[in-house]
Amino acid sequence: MIQAAHRVENLYESVIRSITVHAIQKGAINLGQGSPDFDPPRALIEAAQQALSENYNQYAPTWGLAELREAISDKTEAFYGFRPDPDTEVTVTCGVTEAVISALVGLVDRGDKVVILEPAHENYHAGVVFAGAEPLWVPIRPPDFTFDPDELRRAFRQPKVKAVIFNTPHNPSGRVFSREELQQIADLCLEFGVIAISDEIYEHMVFDGRRHIPISTLPGMMERTITISGLSKSYSVTGWRVGYALATAHLTDALRKIHDFTTICAPTPLQKASVTALRLGKDYYDWLTSYYDERRQRMMQILEESGFVAPIPEGAYYTLADFRPVAEALGIDDDDDAFTYWMIDEIGIGTVPGSSFYRSDPSLGRGRVRFAFPKKDETLDEVARRFERLRVRVGI
Ligand code: PLP
């Protein structure tokens, strides 16, 4: 039999995807996968339709439409006070997913090590594997979802650490890293000469007056950070596959080589429509925050009333809820895989098992499941009704 390459042997189908398949088969509402079930702003759909009829149907320049790179630079400056050069420091990619892979494969060598703060988006590990490097997992531990600075330092002290990759606002914990936490990571990057790959896809979902801080804005970090974000979450267009990477020309050169020869370019008409998204005014982001804040409060209330202990998200749109009080009332144990299937089969709600987020020690996620709440009111009304079934079962 023809063998697959060794490098893919340890990559498995995403747990989230297989649970989604089961949830669909059972007619469950899927709060497992993090995609919105509402439409993007009307102006974006119209801009995309217009682009299709205005000849934006062929390859775009590989680094991205000039107009879009310009809009990305302007928006970055408006929000964070630094302006990447659109020609040499901005690269438009097929989503954050591709930007992460291009950064890792373009910058990390075979035999290098990459520190991954976990829980982590699944494609960080894939990118490290594609680069032939070795992941060093450092957990962000429940219930506070903070990392242990000594443990992080021990990881950085290992030989051949080339990069650290992490995400803030954080999926799945809902944490927004504080300036102090980011400074601890930055200090280690500077001391050990390590590149920071910072996934900031949830940058516009921060609650209770918090602010998202890009690590690149900390002293000395601009030269050694690849800041990655995209359109998927901020504008509810996960299917458009438009993201971007910001980095100094030297780092950008490296990741562009992988990008160019892998995807050529992100979809041209959707790049054109993305200009409209990036040029939306402050009102849009104010609306987005308050819309997600409403969803967050609704989800928290449903979970609390049903016996879950769910950390209130500081940002993003997930909570990694402790279901042990529910399990205890039901007389079942804290196996999160079994609980996930029970939730789909008995309550009609899809979630993701907490242990699937931890590679270093899956038991860190035991007793927890992730709920995603980028859902419209009608969906959350139905979620509330289904949780009533759970309350009846639990006897609350
Ligand atoms: N990074 C994180 C932390 C995510 O949660 C997701 C999607 O859920 C992605 C990246 C994927 O981003 P994109 O759709 O831009 O590829």
Side-chain angles (χ1 to χ4, degrees):
M1 207 187 32
I2 297 171
Q3 296 289 316
H6 291 309
R7 79 171 66 82
V8 299
E9 271 168 8
N10 289 324
L11 296 179
Y12 303 102
E13 193 202 0
S14 148
V15 176
I16 298 178
R17 258 174 250 144
S18 47
I19 287 169
T20 299
V21 170
H22 186 68
I24 291 170
Q25 275 166 359
K26 294 284 178 168
I29 299 178
N30 191 11
L31 301 185
Q33 208 173 30
S35 52
D37 71 346
F38 42 84
D39 286 337
R42 191 73 220 150
L44 271 61
I45 297 177
E46 282 164 10
Q49 286 166 338
Q50 200 175 339
L52 284 166
S53 56
E54 275 181 2
N55 246 338
Y56 283 88
N57 296 305
Q58 311 308 328
Y59 297 126
T62 181
W63 324 137
L65 288 179
E67 221 187 318
L68 178 57
R69 282 182 283 117
E70 194 76 38
I72 292 168
S73 289
D74 290 347
K75 175 178 170 278
T76 304
E77 185 173 26
F79 275 90
Y80 306 118
F82 69 97
R83 190 170 203 287
D85 181 327
D87 291 331
T88 58
E89 299 181 328
V90 179
T91 309
V92 177
T93 56
C94 293
V96 166
T97 301
E98 192 243 325
V100 164
I101 303 288
S102 293
L104 286 165
V105 178
L107 283 151
V108 174
D109 264 319
R110 183 167 296 281
D112 282 345
K113 292 182 183 137
V114 177
V115 177
I116 308 181
L117 287 185
E118 65 165 354
H121 193 56
E122 287 163 316
N123 89 302
Y124 303 172
H125 179 229
V128 171
V129 167
F130 294 164
E134 187 189 325
L136 296 174
W137 304 101
V138 175
I140 305 172
R141 286 199 168 78
D144 300 334
F145 295 102
T146 49
F147 56 81
D148 171 353
D150 295 332
E151 201 170 359
L152 190 60
R153 165 167 279 276
R154 277 198 297 281
F156 271 76
R157 284 183 59 181
Q158 290 211 21
K160 303 198 77 173
V161 173
K162 182 77 181 278
V164 58
I165 180 163
F166 64 96
N167 156 237
T168 184
H170 187 246
N171 165 13
S173 72
R175 280 295 321 288
V176 175
F177 283 0
S178 66
R179 184 173 289 278
E180 291 68 34
E181 285 169 304
L182 292 169
Q183 190 63 61
Q184 282 167 348
I185 300 171
D187 287 346
L188 290 169
C189 287
L190 292 163
E191 182 178 342
F192 293 97
V194 166
I195 301 163
I197 302 175
S198 178
D199 173 351
E200 304 180 12
I201 189 165
Y202 298 101
E203 62 185 311
H204 293 299
M205 286 152 208
V206 279
F207 307 116
D208 306 322
R210 286 186 183 79
R211 283 196 69 78
H212 164 66
I213 305 171
I215 194 168
S216 62
T217 59
L218 269 49
M221 287 303 290
M222 197 59 80
E223 300 71 45
R224 55 179 59 256
T225 302
I226 300 170
T227 304
I228 296 176
S229 193
L231 283 273
S232 285
K233 313 288 173 159
S234 298
Y235 310 95
S236 313
V237 288
T238 56
W240 280 21
R241 315 310 305 133
V242 182
Y244 52 88
L246 313 176
T248 55
H250 176 62
L251 297 179
T252 290
D253 271 353
L255 72 87
R256 280 184 174 182
K257 286 188 182 146
I258 306 302
H259 164 73
D260 187 9
F261 295 117
T262 317
T263 61
I264 304 182
C265 62
T268 310
L270 301 175
Q271 287 198 49
K272 172 68 179 164
S274 295
V275 177
T276 302
L278 274 282
R279 298 255 181 240
L280 288 170
K282 184 177 174 296
D283 286 1
Y284 173 72
Y285 300 97
D286 291 347
W287 169 82
L288 189 77
T289 307
S290 67
Y291 187 73
Y292 272 105
D293 194 8
E294 278 168 31
R295 261 113 276 281
R296 173 180 75 138
Q297 293 191 23
R298 193 94 206 269
M299 192 75 235
M300 289 297 105
Q301 191 185 350
I302 294 170
L303 291 173
E304 196 189 333
E305 285 173 0
S306 309
F308 289 81
V309 181
I312 300 171
E314 298 170 343
Y317 50 55
Y318 308 91
T319 182
L320 205 44
D322 187 338
F323 65 80
R324 283 171 295 193
V326 178
E328 204 171 306
L330 289 166
I332 58 176
D333 74 7
D334 63 352
D335 179 331
D336 49 313
D337 279 336
F339 188 77
T340 298
Y341 282 96
W342 185 85
M343 284 289 291
I344 293 173
D345 296 340
E346 303 294 324
I347 310 299
I349 297 286
T351 67
V352 187
S355 58
S356 70
F357 291 107
Y358 285 101
R359 292 211 170 228
S360 56
D361 177 5
S363 73
L364 287 171
R366 205 177 159 88
R368 290 179 182 270
V369 288
R370 186 189 77 174
F371 293 93
F373 49 85
K375 304 297 168 197
K376 57 190 174 204
D377 289 336
E378 301 88 289
T379 309
L380 290 176
D381 292 344
E382 181 56 24
V383 168
R385 276 193 285 278
R386 293 189 183 197
F387 268 83
E388 270 165 34
R389 288 185 209 163
L390 183 139
R391 288 201 283 279
V392 170
R393 297 285 288 268
V394 176
I396 297 177

